[in-house]
Amino acid sequence: MDRFIHTALNSINMVKDNSFIRSNNLANNSVPGFRSDYHLKTAGTAFIETMDSHVTRGLAIKNNTNNFDASSGTLNETGNEMDVAIRGDGYFITEAATGNALSRRGDFSTNMDGQLINGSNATILDSNLQPIVIPPYRSIDFTQTGDIIIEPLNSEPGTREVVATLGLTMPTAPLKKFPDGEIRYTDGSPIVANQDVAVVNRYLEMSNVNLMEELVTSIEDQRVFEINLKLVKTAEDIDRGGSSLIRMPT
């Protein structure tokens, strides 16, 4: 009975955790370059082994490793000269409060200091992992290799100047999202620039959240929640029935 009730309650708790993950995915559906998080899974083999042992409670084990979907989102043409998208695999390198991080968000702009930032105010780093400062310009362009070319504000018309190169990298080890929401190497390895990544200007990558999948999973979780509530009620009925059998007659 103890196993019965606590297994059901543990499953209900996992459904609740999944609802938070799903809510976060849906809330960030319109955020450029967002990578959706995976829902929590149970380690079935470990669960069965626990049930076959002498342990009184067999609880589902969470495979909670902060995994995310690394597949690319849709590329939308915006015509905005400050929008940049990565074509294929790869990441921009950004500066975060707790160390450098990786991002696919390419809705760029400049802050008060002229530094290149994205829509979440993360500073974009160059190929030397230094903040990119954009001088005043009349026009700006990003080449396929990540070079930033401007027409300086006070220059002769047609003057072109390369001011920096976007810091790009191709992951060489497993990645995960950390508690601050930033993507880094799982083992904490330092991020190194690797310019073998292609970008496209005036395009923006959308999030890779699959709305239909989120909806279907939400329905499945609701069914799991209802089933486990019935299991708890059934366990209560069985417990009452067993108690009545051993109760002394009056």
Side-chain angles (χ1 to χ4, degrees):
M1 192 60 58
D2 186 67
R3 293 181 176 183
F4 198 178
I5 295 176
H6 285 278
T7 299
L9 290 176
N10 185 246
S11 296
I12 291 174
N13 184 58
M14 291 191 67
V15 170
K16 181 195 70 173
D17 291 341
N18 277 341
S19 69
F20 285 111
I21 296 174
R22 187 176 303 103
S23 296
N24 182 64
N25 287 342
L26 293 175
N28 288 280
N29 176 57
S30 60
V31 175
F34 176 77
R35 291 291 175 264
S36 61
D37 296 303
Y38 285 140
H39 302 145
L40 298 174
K41 304 295 183 181
T42 57
T45 303
F47 172 73
I48 294 174
E49 291 176 353
T50 301
M51 292 294 288
D52 289 338
S53 69
H54 65 278
V55 180
T56 59
R57 297 180 182 180
L59 303 182
I61 301 173
K62 294 181 182 179
N63 182 17
N64 185 12
T65 55
N66 293 329
N67 289 330
F68 64 94
D69 184 1
S71 61
S72 300
T74 304
L75 297 186
N76 288 351
E77 185 175 6
T78 64
N80 187 340
E81 63 182 4
M82 291 295 284
D83 286 343
V84 182
I86 292 178
R87 190 185 298 276
D89 297 331
Y91 289 86
F92 301 112
I93 304 177
T94 65
E95 183 180 63
T98 56
N100 296 344
L102 303 177
S103 174
R104 295 276 294 197
R105 186 164 186 168
D107 51 342
F108 296 155
S109 63
T110 55
N111 59 19
M112 296 296 294
D113 298 323
Q115 292 182 336
L116 190 67
I117 60 174
N118 62 20
S120 61
N121 293 321
T123 302
I124 307 301
L125 303 182
D126 63 15
S127 55
N128 295 317
L129 304 185
Q130 297 299 317
I132 297 174
V133 178
I134 307 294
Y137 60 88
R138 283 195 294 265
S139 65
I140 187 170
D141 188 32
F142 295 81
T143 68
Q144 182 176 347
T145 58
D147 290 337
I148 305 174
I149 303 175
I150 67 168
E151 183 179 342
L153 186 61
N154 297 319
S155 65
E156 293 291 331
T159 302
R160 307 282 284 174
E161 179 183 343
V162 178
V163 294
T165 300
L166 291 173
L168 305 168
T169 189
M170 192 73 70
T172 57
L175 303 172
K176 79 169 186 178
K177 281 188 181 179
F178 282 73
D180 59 0
E182 301 290 352
I183 299 174
R184 300 185 184 88
Y185 288 120
T186 302
D187 60 2
S189 299
I191 297 173
V192 179
N194 177 353
Q195 300 305 119
D196 293 333
V197 177
V199 302
V200 55
N201 195 198
R202 292 176 170 81
Y203 279 80
L204 202 57
E205 181 184 4
M206 298 294 101
S207 74
N208 65 352
V209 176
N210 188 323
L211 295 179
M212 184 60 67
E213 181 181 347
E214 296 294 334
L215 176 61
V216 171
T217 309
S218 177
I219 296 174
E220 292 177 350
D221 280 353
Q222 180 63 30
R223 290 175 178 171
V224 171
F225 180 80
E226 293 172 354
I227 290 173
N228 280 280
L229 280 183
K230 291 180 180 179
L231 287 176
V232 173
K233 183 62 170 62
T234 300
E236 180 185 9
D237 294 341
I238 293 175
D239 187 57
R240 287 181 177 178
S243 299
S244 65
L245 290 175
I246 62 174
R247 186 178 301 117
M248 294 293 293
T250 58

